Amino acid sequence: MYLRSLFGRLLDGKVLYRQKEMQLLLPELYEVSIHHADVCWEFFSEKLLELKGVDGIPTFDNLRTVQLMVRVFPASDFRHPILTPVSLLLDLWSDRVSSKLTSGIL
């Protein structure tokens, strides 16, 4: 489907979108995502499972994926099926980075 390929294009590490470009794309992307919530959920739940397997410090592509998840899904739900695990994942990653910084590895 078109929406899956659009998400894939936004997360492609070969193409870096600037903040201005993302600000133009995101309102339209959000509007389309509302009408195709099942496609969004399926795409990002697969990405979330991939992110779960990240060992060590996340890459730039991992952080871009999380950033897009946060921008596409509303954070108004107390327990969101995508954003709640993402927030736990960010806590885990920040703890890893913090421990490496304090131990002098980075």
Side-chain angles (χ1 to χ4, degrees):
M1 172 162 209
Y2 175 74
L3 190 57
R4 288 182 67 86
S5 63
L6 180 61
F7 285 141
R9 175 83 173 154
L10 287 173
L11 294 175
D12 184 7
K14 297 173 188 164
V15 180
L16 294 178
Y17 291 96
R18 299 194 188 286
Q19 191 64 26
K20 274 196 271 184
E21 294 165 335
M22 288 299 286
Q23 286 176 346
L24 291 173
L25 286 173
L26 284 173
E28 301 299 325
L29 183 64
Y30 184 71
E31 189 69 30
V32 172
S33 298
I34 289 172
H35 297 291
H36 300 285
D38 54 337
V39 175
C40 292
W41 187 88
E42 181 183 320
F43 180 83
F44 285 112
S45 62
E46 291 170 8
K47 290 293 181 185
L48 187 59
L49 289 175
E50 291 174 18
L51 292 174
K52 184 180 169 187
V54 171
D55 289 331
I57 297 176
T59 64
F60 179 72
D61 289 340
N62 298 142
L63 295 174
R64 279 176 54 142
T65 303
V66 168
Q67 180 186 27
L68 189 58
M69 286 178 181
V70 170
R71 289 184 174 191
V72 168
F73 292 106
S76 59
D77 295 345
F78 178 66
R79 289 194 176 127
H80 191 277
I82 298 291
L83 294 183
T84 300
V86 164
S87 66
L88 294 172
L89 190 61
L90 287 171
D91 284 342
L92 175 68
W93 288 347
S94 64
D95 184 52
R96 287 179 185 168
V97 170
S98 175
S99 66
K100 289 190 185 251
L101 284 173
T102 56
S103 65
I105 294 175
L106 288 179

